[in-house]
């Protein structure tokens, strides 16, 4: 009996711009349309030099069980990576660590399909860390 081929899942990933005291920094962010909160890793908070506000927030997943507790939140100003006047102001809960590199495995992208398209993450096919 042959093994079934593993299915490929595409996750919504975008390159976003975040302002720092040293200027703008581009980060790779996972866009989770099913989430009701924004999360950011402690590493990125330190990298951006963001001031943290104390909060205690339990974070649960699909099973509604407490998966982790966030002890801080930060204020964010998020911009697209391309030229735009759009700015999204929001707050994000800080977690010690988030996702591993995504996608799980790099794959070949057919360049002709994406030619002349403005992509949220032009390197979506390459395994890379998610920073937010």
């Amino acid at each position: 009996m042959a093994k079934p081929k593993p299915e490929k899942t595409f996750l919504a990933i975008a390159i976003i711009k975040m302002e720092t005291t040293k200027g703008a920094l581009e980060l790779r962010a996972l866009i989770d349309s099913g989430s009701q909160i924004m999360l950011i890793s402690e590493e990125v908070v330190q990298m951006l030099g963001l001031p943290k506000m104390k909060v205690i927030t339990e974070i649960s997943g699909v099973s509604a069980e407490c998966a982790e507790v966030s002890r801080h939140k930060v204020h964010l100003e998020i911009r697209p990576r391309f030229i735009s006047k759009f700015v999204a102001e929001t707050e994000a809960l800080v977690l010690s660590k988030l996702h591993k590199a995504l996608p799980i495995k790099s794959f070949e992208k057919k360049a002709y399909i994406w030619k002349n398209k403005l992509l949220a993450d032009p390197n979506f096919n390459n395994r890379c860390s998610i920073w937010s």
Side-chain angles (χ1 to χ4, degrees):
M1 188 169 178
K3 283 186 176 179
K5 288 185 178 180
E7 292 186 33
K8 292 181 182 170
T9 303
F10 285 101
L11 298 173
I13 297 172
I15 304 296
I16 59 172
K17 257 188 209 176
M18 304 275 294
E19 291 299 322
T20 72
T21 54
K22 300 170 188 165
L25 181 65
E26 288 190 352
L27 301 170
R28 201 164 184 239
L30 173 66
I31 312 299
D32 184 351
S33 62
S35 181
Q36 296 179 347
I37 59 172
M38 290 198 60
L39 301 171
I40 190 167
S41 68
E42 180 67 39
E43 181 181 6
V44 173
V45 169
Q46 297 300 319
M47 198 167 47
L48 296 172
L50 298 172
K52 296 188 286 187
M53 299 168 269
K54 285 192 175 244
V55 297
I56 304 280
T57 307
E58 288 186 356
I59 299 167
S60 60
V62 175
S63 66
E65 291 183 28
C66 180
E68 196 162 342
V69 175
S70 172
R71 303 195 182 286
H72 296 95
K73 68 179 179 178
V74 292
H75 177 80
L76 301 175
E77 288 186 10
I78 301 170
R79 293 175 168 77
R81 68 178 180 85
F82 48 84
I83 298 170
S84 172
K85 293 181 182 179
F86 177 80
V87 178
E89 289 193 43
T90 188
E91 290 182 340
L93 296 173
V94 180
L95 292 180
S96 57
K97 193 170 186 171
L98 289 180
H99 304 279
K100 296 179 180 175
L102 292 174
I104 293 172
K105 186 177 178 184
S106 293
F107 59 93
E108 182 183 348
K109 75 175 174 187
K110 295 178 175 38
Y112 67 90
I113 294 173
W114 306 107
K115 188 177 179 183
N116 300 322
K117 304 283 190 271
L118 181 61
L119 301 174
D121 181 2
N123 297 309
F124 67 90
N125 61 310
N126 294 326
R127 182 175 166 83
C128 187
S129 294
I130 300 294
W131 287 104
S132 65

